Amino acid sequence: PMGSERTEMRKRQMSTSQETPGSAQAQHSAGNRGPNACCFCWCCCCSCSCLTVRNQDEERARRASHELQAEGIPNCEESPAPTLEEVNAWAQSFDKLMLTPAGRNAFREFLRTEFSEENMLFWMACEELKQESNKSVIEEKARLIYEDYISILSPKEVSLDSRVREVINRNMLEPSQHTFDDAQLQIYTLMHRDSYPRFMNSAIYKDLLRSLSEKPIEA
């Protein structure tokens, strides 16, 4: 009996010594994991930071998508180089500036330096929409304009008051070439009152004017 008890005790000691390293390692891992374990751990709990990581990844992907869309936008409209007469005319009125592709290109370059290029891009998109006659194309372009410039989730959202936003939301129920007319007018007015005066005093405009003034007259 005594021999069998000693044998049983040895078995228990051996069993305990074999289990201890694994248990200690598991406890050590659990201790290191803490309340903010990541997705790479062998288990996840409700307090895991996986959701935070996932949200950050989705935000990065969304930003990258918009950046890729922005890269697809041409830097300027095709147009001949402006003449000195045209550039002088831009100083007479904002309307004359916006009437010519060269004027819009120069103004758009200035808006880019102020991080407000989306105003010109929105205005141009609305002008393009007005040229469409196909119903399905109109609906698709209206949807893209809304997502790019009206949605509060877009990094290119333009600044509009609540009244105009309500009008747009009603118009989007049945999009047409004139869905964004009120918004386009508001952005045009904003560019006229806010950005245009600064453009006229900017280095971009003055350098262009100077370069054309110094250019020799061709015979």
Side-chain angles (χ1 to χ4, degrees), residues 116-155:
S116 59
E117 184 185 13
E118 66 274 3
N119 289 331
M120 176 64 83
L121 295 176
F122 171 68
W123 185 88
M124 292 170 62
C126 292
E127 287 295 294
E128 184 179 332
L129 178 65
K130 290 178 182 178
Q131 307 304 315
E132 293 294 342
S133 57
N134 184 287
K135 189 174 185 296
S136 61
V137 174
I138 289 172
E139 290 177 349
E140 176 65 13
K141 287 193 173 184
R143 182 184 64 80
L144 290 175
I145 291 174
Y146 189 93
E147 290 179 355
D148 283 345
Y149 305 107
I150 308 302
S151 172
I152 59 175
L153 299 177
S154 173

Side-chain angles (χ1 to χ4, degrees), residues 60-127:
R60 290 192 197 100
R62 190 180 300 114
R63 289 178 182 174
S65 174
H66 284 293
E67 287 171 2
L68 288 174
Q69 291 178 11
E71 288 176 2
I73 300 171
N75 287 330
C76 62
E77 299 177 73
E78 293 184 5
S79 70
T83 64
L84 178 59
E85 183 181 2
E86 286 177 325
V87 175
N88 278 321
W90 299 347
Q92 296 173 14
S93 73
F94 183 60
D95 291 339
K96 289 185 177 180
L97 169 71
M98 292 290 284
L99 278 174
T100 64
R104 292 192 295 271
N105 286 336
F107 187 52
R108 181 176 166 185
E109 182 183 353
F110 168 74
L111 292 177
R112 193 177 297 127
T113 67
E114 293 200 333
F115 305 100
S116 59
E117 184 185 13
E118 66 274 3
N119 289 331
M120 176 64 83
L121 295 176
F122 171 68
W123 185 88
M124 292 170 62
C126 292
E127 287 295 294

